[in-house]
Amino acid sequence: MAKSGKADGGILETIRTVFWALVIAGVFRTLFFQPFWIPSESMKDTLLIGDFLFVNKMAYGYSKYSCPFAMCPFSGRILASEPERGDVVVFRHPVAGTDYIKRLIGLPGDKIQMKAGVLYINGVAAPQEPAGTFQEVYEPQGPMRNIPQCENGAVGAGGTCTKSRFVETLPEGQKHNILNIRDNGPGDDTPVFTVPEGHYFFMGDNRDNSTDSRYDPRAGGVGMLPAEYLIGRADRVIFSSAGSRMVYFWTWRSDRFFKAIE
């Protein structure tokens, strides 16, 4: 019977250990950092499919969407601080309920417009400087097997898919890369969007392949995002894999490990 008592005690101790480990992990994920995999091409070439990062949840404070399954028991935001234009932000989509990652372009009160593929903020163009081309292999990418879109047309499986790259400068001087796939794309010319108080305007860096604030959220876009849907800021890529499975070590992109996000 002594052996049975020791066995039962060992099982209970294991259960307690697992329970507290899960509690600690849940608190860490809720309050500090949330893991996030890049599933799509909307933020190329800043973020690539298969990049893995931790989202800094302390950056903007907390809302109910800071908890898994939106279970935080409060409304609005607590310990809130304002995001900055140019931040790369993870947020909860207001209709789909999934997490998105985009670049913050418009702050409350801003007027945002795209004209001939150029971003205008409060009537002033954000300068774009040519920065060569972004190249990738035309093949399925990541677990979702996404096929890249190419500016140089149908290149065929295994061919080199290219996009024009530009460095865009925001009003505060922050610079980042953007990509172009086609002229006169559906989001290259827009009406003027006025960002309401308490809302933000987001865009992807891969401008012709991003469903963002230029589009209605009921049609797959983001629209003007209320502040309560902010989750956190993406600061650094921790790990990156170009393969469909993380265990395929020969597809790891070691040059992107711990890479700062600009």
Side-chain angles (χ1 to χ4, degrees):
M1 292 300 293
K3 288 184 178 179
S4 177
K6 287 182 179 180
D8 291 344
I11 292 172
L12 289 174
E13 183 61 30
T14 299
I15 292 173
R16 281 195 292 267
T17 300
V18 171
F19 171 78
W20 286 112
L22 292 173
V23 169
I24 292 169
V27 170
F28 183 86
R29 184 185 185 279
T30 298
L31 296 181
F32 302 111
F33 297 97
Q34 174 178 320
F36 190 84
W37 282 97
I38 302 301
S40 70
E41 48 269 84
S42 69
M43 282 296 293
K44 289 179 179 177
D45 66 345
T46 303
L47 296 170
L48 304 181
I49 293 175
D51 282 351
F52 174 77
L53 48 90
F54 282 106
V55 180
N56 181 357
K57 302 182 80 169
M58 300 174 285
Y60 309 133
Y62 304 93
S63 74
K64 68 177 184 178
Y65 299 104
S66 300
C67 293
F69 310 109
M71 292 179 62
C72 284
F74 50 81
S75 60
R77 298 192 67 82
I78 62 173
L79 303 177
S81 58
E82 292 299 313
E84 297 181 3
R85 193 193 321 275
D87 286 356
V88 176
V89 179
V90 171
F91 55 87
R92 186 66 48 85
H93 191 281
V95 175
T98 53
D99 292 346
Y100 276 37
I101 185 166
K102 306 288 182 185
R103 189 177 298 277
L104 177 56
I105 296 296
L107 302 173
D110 282 343
K111 296 183 183 301
I112 306 296
Q113 186 178 22
M114 292 291 292
K115 293 194 290 187
V118 176
L119 170 65
Y120 284 74
I121 300 175
N122 296 321
V124 179
Q128 294 182 6
E129 298 178 8
T133 59
F134 171 72
Q135 298 184 356
E136 57 188 337
V137 177
Y138 187 78
E139 63 182 2
Q141 298 178 349
M144 297 174 64
R145 314 304 288 160
N146 302 62
I147 300 295
Q149 296 184 26
C150 311
E151 186 180 20
N152 56 330
V155 297
T160 300
C161 176
T162 65
K163 302 172 183 64
S164 297
R165 178 166 49 203
F166 301 85
V167 175
E168 183 175 79
T169 304
L170 298 177
E172 294 79 9
Q174 200 263 18
K175 298 177 182 289
H176 57 271
N177 290 345
I178 59 171
L179 301 182
N180 181 70
I181 298 172
R182 65 185 70 85
D183 294 331
N184 302 316
D188 283 349
D189 290 278
T190 71
V192 175
F193 299 100
T194 300
V195 185
E197 287 300 315
H199 292 68
Y200 299 96
F201 190 99
F202 290 91
M203 293 177 66
D205 292 346
N206 191 4
R207 292 283 166 80
D208 292 326
N209 195 3
S210 174
T211 51
D212 48 41
S213 291
R214 291 172 289 178
Y215 307 101
D216 191 302
R218 294 166 296 182
V222 173
M224 305 293 179
L225 188 82
E228 67 175 328
Y229 289 95
L230 300 178
I231 292 176
R233 185 181 65 223
D235 294 326
R236 190 174 295 273
V237 174
I238 303 300
F239 172 83
S240 185
S241 172
S244 59
R245 297 288 187 275
M246 186 177 68
V247 295
Y248 296 166
F249 63 87
W250 57 90
T251 68
W252 293 358
R253 306 183 186 106
S254 58
D255 60 319
R256 297 186 64 79
F257 291 7
F258 304 104
K259 178 180 175 63
I261 297 172
E262 299 178 350

